[in-house]
Amino acid sequence: MFTALVLSIAQLGDRAVLGVLAKSLAVTFALFVLLGAGVWWGANALLATWTYHGALASAASLVVTILALWLLFRAVAVAVVGLFADTIVVAVERKHYPAALSTARDVTFGRSLRMALASAGRFIAVNLMLAPLYLVLLATGIGTAALFLAANAWLLGRDLGDMVSARHLPPEAMRDWRQATAARRFLLGLAVTILFLVPFANILAPVIGAALATHVYHRSRS
């Protein structure tokens, strides 16, 4: 895993990877800007009869956008990168696993979109279900952090693994691959979850994760 992480970071300068990073960040932050604009419009209309309604709407928009960035950046960023993940996977395979390119299949935009929406949906649903436990475990000091890391390591391990395995395996074989590589994918997800918690590194985490997943997939089949 450490070697795969080093190789993934070393390929950040690849033009294809930089292109995906730029596009994914632009789309991700555009979505949050649209959210903020929507909240401002709604709050401004709702409070139209209030004094200083414009200032109140701006404050509501700012607060909601900051909270959304804090709580949902990982879900949105991974989902958006999933739309362009094929480019990163191809770049890594071309450099490190050229033989795999001959049998790979392109993932259609429609399938990428479905996988991206499923990824974001799982993240939100699982973390909402675990929210009561997060609150209860606050009393332990470390329980909330441990559960959050474990849950999101599992989620990310699945999502990132699917980005790569979808190019090489039919859906029924992907299920078998997930079962056979549960431990590796958990470590993959844990590494990327930790990156999401590090300031500035969290911006690079989705593309590093896609590259890292490519190495994990091919090394698991060697």
Side-chain angles (χ1 to χ4, degrees), residues 31-190:
L31 290 173
F32 284 108
V33 169
L34 287 174
L35 171 66
V39 171
W40 180 89
W41 181 85
N44 194 52
L46 187 64
L47 304 174
T49 59
W50 291 34
T51 306
Y52 306 119
H53 61 88
L56 290 171
S58 297
S61 174
L62 181 62
V63 170
V64 169
T65 302
I66 291 173
L67 283 174
L69 273 168
W70 178 45
L71 296 172
L72 298 176
F73 177 77
R74 174 265 189 235
V76 176
V78 171
V80 171
V81 164
L83 298 176
F84 310 113
D86 236 24
T87 302
I88 296 177
V89 177
V90 168
V92 175
E93 289 179 345
R94 182 177 292 117
K95 183 171 183 178
H96 298 282
Y97 312 99
L101 286 175
S102 61
T103 58
R105 71 197 83 182
D106 291 333
V107 179
T108 65
F109 179 79
R111 188 178 184 190
S112 294
L113 181 59
R114 290 194 298 273
M115 291 170 62
L117 292 175
S119 168
R122 276 192 299 269
F123 172 84
I124 294 170
V126 169
N127 281 283
L128 282 177
M129 286 190 296
L130 292 177
L133 273 177
Y134 288 152
L135 292 175
V136 170
L137 291 173
L138 283 173
T140 67
I142 63 169
T144 298
L147 180 58
F148 176 84
L149 285 173
N152 286 278
W154 173 74
L155 288 166
L156 266 176
R158 172 182 173 134
D159 295 339
L160 294 171
D162 283 0
M163 287 180 190
V164 185
S165 60
R167 284 176 45 80
H168 299 278
L169 300 173
E172 60 276 10
M174 286 174 62
R175 289 191 293 269
D176 295 336
W177 179 77
R178 287 191 205 110
Q179 292 176 355
T181 58
R184 289 192 187 195
R185 287 186 300 100
F186 181 83
L187 291 176
L188 161 67
L190 183 60

